[in-house]
Amino acid sequence: MKTKLTTLLLVLVIFIGCTVNEKPEFIAVDNIEVVSVSSDTLTIKADAYFNNPNDLGGTLKTDGIDVIIANVNVATVQTEAFDVPGKRQFAIPLVAKVATNDVFKKNKDNLIGGLLTTLLTKKIKVQYKGAIAYKALGLSYDYPIDITEEVNIE
């Protein structure tokens, strides 16, 4: 009986000593880059940076972030839930695979102008827009994401 009480008391002390009193701080989305280009697929990656001041972690889910190229929604970032580490800064990758056919089909009106601009400048305008969801111990927060950058194509 004494062992069970000691174990329960130890678990309570550890649980109370661990803080989850504030949500992780969203720092920025940065490093948007074209990772690979093929005849049918364009892979784009960005990093979302956070700082977790809490002792305990949680999970981040990135489903629902749209990737917009040349004002056309061409893909959605979809990943597994990411485990948030306690008491440190971290980054999560936001990777999207874009079917190049989708870009051309959805942007028929401005296809020639967009192709010429891309070929001449070797740059495309990429926007990440949506939200990253954080969950820990029954608490939930959404971090809105809306960033646009011109990205070099090599």
Side-chain angles (χ1 to χ4, degrees):
M1 180 75 163
K2 231 179 184 182
T3 328
K4 289 182 182 179
L5 183 61
T6 306
T7 304
L8 178 63
L9 198 57
L10 181 62
V11 168
L12 283 174
V13 167
I14 290 172
F15 186 73
I16 291 171
C18 295
T19 60
V20 182
N21 53 1
E22 55 188 292
K23 65 182 181 178
E25 174 191 3
F26 171 66
I27 299 169
V29 172
D30 201 5
N31 302 330
I32 297 176
E33 63 181 336
V34 174
V35 178
S36 67
V37 178
S38 68
S39 61
D40 60 344
T41 307
L42 181 69
T43 303
I44 300 172
K45 178 186 166 287
D47 294 314
Y49 293 94
F50 290 86
N51 179 43
N52 185 9
N54 302 305
D55 293 323
L56 296 177
T59 58
L60 286 172
K61 191 78 171 145
T62 61
D63 288 355
I65 297 176
D66 293 324
V67 177
I68 302 162
I69 296 176
N71 298 321
V72 177
N73 185 349
V74 293
T76 301
V77 174
Q78 302 224 343
T79 61
E80 298 294 318
F82 181 83
D83 291 330
V84 175
K87 288 269 188 202
R88 62 180 252 226
Q89 289 188 0
F90 61 95
I92 62 170
L94 305 175
V95 179
K97 294 196 181 287
V98 178
T100 51
N101 288 340
D102 287 348
V103 176
F104 297 134
K105 285 179 190 173
K106 293 178 181 178
N107 196 12
K108 288 179 191 172
D109 297 336
N110 194 19
L111 181 59
I112 301 298
L115 277 175
L116 286 174
T117 301
T118 300
L119 289 172
L120 292 173
T121 64
K122 295 194 178 195
K123 292 184 178 190
I124 57 171
K125 185 172 94 172
V126 178
Q127 180 180 14
Y128 276 76
K129 187 172 185 169
I132 297 174
Y134 170 73
K135 292 185 181 182
L137 299 176
L139 302 172
S140 178
Y141 302 103
D142 283 339
Y143 299 95
I145 304 294
D146 190 357
I147 184 164
T148 304
E149 281 188 21
E150 288 224 350
V151 179
N152 292 325
I153 301 175
E154 297 178 14

